Amino acid sequence: MTPAPDDTLLDGTHTVLTPEYVEFRFTLAGVYSRFLAWLLDAVIVGVATAGVLMVLNLAMVAFPGFASALGIVVYFLVDWGYGITLETAWAGQTVGKKALSLRVIQESGVRIGFYHAALRNLARVVDRLPLLYLVGGTAALATRSHQRLGDLLAGTIVVRERRLKVPSALETRGDEGLLADPLFVSRVKRLSTEEREVVLSAALRREELRMEARLRLFSALGTRLQDSLAMEKPAHLSDEKWTLLVAAALLPAPSRRPGRPAAFA
């Protein structure tokens, strides 16, 4: 598929090489789409700031010389709090990013945490200099992975989300086999965030891999999951099928019912 002209100019690809030497590619968000997401977020922050200042209106009337300084402080507190809180809670998204189907992730391809969200948002003070993110925009255009200074500091990138349908292999009846075993399901739910993302990403994108890389990836994942779950893989299951069952157990229950399609970003 040929991308639109603006995507051709502004978007790119970020490649992550797993320890099993399997490549996963992420489509980088262009400067234009990131600007639109920021614009929507800026409107929300502006409205929220105005609401807070209205509540503090009495104090501002009593101390008129303090009003402008208070307004600036409140704006930055709301701006930082908005970005840090939502990107941490929503796995790298704000309202603007969600509307534009963008997400912040680590350069390694996994979700960000509070540390990364805090670093990249606190650095906005420098990125937005001297006006309208000129410094940050220039850095994003100059770097291979379209990273503004905050992204370089936090080790993050902004990517476009792809909507992927759950493979039919994951749409398994919840009352069949291992998925009906409470011990198996409970141990799967205790997998770390990074392990969950690796399993789901492998399950959703396995058809994109060459056969040799696919076999190597699922062989490594199968062994790792046996260690993580402290369970032996049933002899009749291949490494890939074993991993797919783990992925199916990670899905919300309604998504595992036949005839109920689901999608992942």
Side-chain angles (χ1 to χ4, degrees):
M1 179 183 294
T2 302
D6 57 320
D7 290 343
T8 303
L9 292 173
L10 299 180
D11 285 358
T13 301
H14 179 81
T15 302
V16 174
L17 184 65
T18 70
E20 295 78 26
Y21 298 100
V22 177
E23 290 186 349
F24 288 100
R25 290 185 174 85
F26 299 88
T27 301
L28 294 167
V31 175
Y32 178 68
S33 58
R34 291 179 66 174
F35 175 77
L36 292 179
W38 167 79
L39 195 60
L40 178 55
D41 287 330
V43 171
I44 295 173
V45 169
V47 172
T49 301
V52 173
L53 291 178
M54 287 180 64
V55 175
L56 300 175
N57 186 55
L58 292 178
M60 294 173 66
V61 171
F63 304 97
F66 187 60
S68 58
L70 181 61
I72 294 174
V73 171
V74 169
Y75 172 78
F76 278 105
L77 288 178
V78 173
D79 186 35
W80 284 332
Y82 172 84
I84 294 172
T85 301
L86 289 188
E87 287 184 0
T88 300
W90 288 358
Q93 286 190 308
T94 58
V95 174
K97 290 184 179 68
K98 186 180 288 289
L100 273 293
S101 296
L102 308 182
R103 187 182 297 275
V104 183
I105 61 174
Q106 295 183 48
E107 292 175 323
S108 60
V110 301
R111 68 181 293 170
I112 65 171
F114 173 80
Y115 171 79
H116 308 91
L119 278 182
R120 71 185 307 276
N121 278 283
L122 291 175
R124 288 182 185 277
V125 177
V126 178
D127 273 318
R128 56 169 49 112
L129 294 174
L131 185 68
L132 293 177
Y133 278 85
L134 182 59
V135 170
T138 301
L141 289 172
T143 55
R144 176 178 296 181
S145 295
H146 298 175
Q147 294 167 293
R148 59 178 178 82
L149 297 183
D151 289 316
L152 292 171
L153 180 64
T156 56
I157 57 175
V158 182
V159 299
R160 289 183 178 275
E161 289 192 310
R162 292 188 301 169
R163 304 299 295 179
L164 300 174
K165 289 186 177 181
V166 175
S168 57
L170 298 189
E171 295 177 357
T172 309
R173 287 185 180 274
D175 57 353
E176 292 180 359
L178 283 174
L179 294 180
D181 182 353
L183 177 62
F184 172 73
V185 175
S186 65
R187 291 188 178 184
V188 169
K189 297 298 184 184
R190 292 201 295 267
L191 290 175
S192 68
T193 299
E194 182 176 356
E195 288 174 324
R196 292 183 182 205
E197 292 185 350
V198 169
V199 168
L200 290 173
S201 181
L204 292 171
R205 300 181 179 181
R206 61 198 179 103
E207 299 296 343
E208 302 175 9
L209 304 176
R210 294 179 179 177
M211 185 54 65
E212 181 181 353
R214 181 169 170 174
L215 291 172
R216 190 165 58 242
L217 172 63
F218 282 103
S219 175
L221 280 178
T223 301
R224 177 174 174 177
L225 287 173
Q226 289 184 76
D227 293 337
S228 297
L229 300 176
M231 295 181 70
E232 290 290 333
K233 176 177 70 67
H236 68 282
L237 292 179
S238 66
D239 289 316
E240 182 169 331
K241 183 62 177 177
W242 165 249
T243 305
L244 291 178
L245 282 172
V246 173
L250 289 172
L251 298 178
S255 298
R256 296 203 300 261
R257 297 172 187 167
R260 290 291 300 277
F264 281 87

